[in-house]
Amino acid sequence: MSDTVTLTSAVDGFAFTALHAQPNGARKGGVVVVQEIFGLDQYVQADVARWAALGFEVLAPSIFDRAEPGFVAEHDPTGFQTGVSYVQKVGIDAMLSDIQACIDELAARGPVFAVGYCLGGSLVWLAAGRLKGLAAGSAYYGSMIAANAELSLKAPVVVHLGRKDAHIPADEVKAKVQAAHPDVPVHIYENSGHGFNNDGRPDSDLADAELARARTLALFVANGAA
């Protein structure tokens, strides 16, 4: 079961909402789930439930609240364009500050990890270099990763890319990341396109999605998840 909580950004004092779920069973740590540009939609909700079932307390910030509180869009051209406009309106620094607020909220109860998808994958990569208190991060198909490949990282990260992703050139991203960070695993999933963690989507291969989740969990366990 999940509920909604309100947290405050230290950057501008803005109060934003976040989907929150308590862990099933013994608590292994905290996970911040960072959305795609479509808001806290059914796929984010499913991911929150998935991590809670694995024993993590979860927060998924609604990072577009400054533009439209509670924004959720369809995965169609209109939803995409609206999401892109909200990225520009809210800005990276404000979105990262919301992630930091989630990390701070969870940190008192154990190690904190982050996983993000599309926009969220880019933000997790940036968070690993710019934020405090993150134990490890898993970044899925983020379009800003290549441009920020040389960012100095404070936390271990794993990167997941789809071979069939028409938006992000997997080999190019992998080459740039590993040139700057040879120790960062960059996995390319041959049967998947963009958004492959979203079960049931046309570009999602379930075996690839499950393998990426297992690799993410292994990274979290290796970095303090009980």
Side-chain angles (χ1 to χ4, degrees), residues 125 148-154 174-186:
W125 179 265
N148 292 278
E150 296 183 1
L151 180 70
S152 179
L153 300 175
K154 301 177 183 177
K174 182 172 183 176
K176 288 185 176 180
V177 169
Q178 296 204 313
H181 303 282
D183 56 330
V184 171
V186 181

Side-chain angles (χ1 to χ4, degrees), residues 2-213:
S2 62
D3 61 327
T4 299
V5 298
T6 300
L7 301 173
T8 302
S9 164
V11 167
D12 58 4
F14 182 81
F16 65 94
T17 58
L19 190 64
H20 173 252
Q22 293 287 359
N24 295 356
R27 190 183 191 280
K28 296 178 180 178
V31 172
V32 182
V33 173
V34 190
Q35 64 178 62
E36 299 179 329
I37 62 171
F38 305 102
L40 301 186
D41 62 8
Q42 60 178 312
Y43 302 111
V44 176
Q45 295 173 35
D47 210 59
V48 168
R50 190 178 296 119
W51 285 106
L54 290 170
F56 294 88
E57 183 180 0
V58 188
L59 284 171
S62 182
I63 57 174
F64 291 162
D65 272 2
R66 289 172 182 80
E68 181 183 334
F71 169 75
V72 176
E74 296 295 327
H75 288 233
D76 60 18
T78 298
F80 177 80
Q81 291 300 328
T82 303
V84 168
S85 72
Y86 285 173
V87 171
Q88 296 168 347
K89 184 174 182 178
V90 175
I92 297 298
D93 289 345
M95 291 186 283
L96 286 174
S97 77
D98 293 351
I99 297 170
Q100 184 68 68
C102 290
I103 294 171
D104 294 344
E105 174 65 23
L106 294 167
R109 296 181 290 282
V112 184
F113 310 94
V115 58
Y117 309 95
C118 187
L119 169 64
S122 295
L123 291 173
V124 167
W125 179 265
L126 295 173
R130 293 174 55 180
L131 302 187
K132 298 178 180 179
L134 190 63
S138 181
Y140 284 71
Y141 32 81
S143 63
M144 291 181 265
I145 293 175
N148 292 278
E150 296 183 1
L151 180 70
S152 179
L153 300 175
K154 301 177 183 177
V157 186
V158 62
V159 177
H160 308 285
L161 305 166
R163 171 65 69 195
K164 299 178 180 179
D165 192 332
H167 308 286
I168 298 171
D171 289 326
E172 178 183 327
V173 175
K174 182 172 183 176
K176 288 185 176 180
V177 169
Q178 296 204 313
H181 303 282
D183 56 330
V184 171
V186 181
H187 301 291
I188 299 175
Y189 298 83
E190 298 296 330
N191 297 315
S192 293
H194 194 76
F196 69 82
N197 188 64
N198 297 334
D199 291 351
R201 294 287 297 172
D203 43 11
S204 174
D205 179 85
L206 183 59
D208 282 351
E210 290 179 342
L211 177 57
R213 292 166 191 160

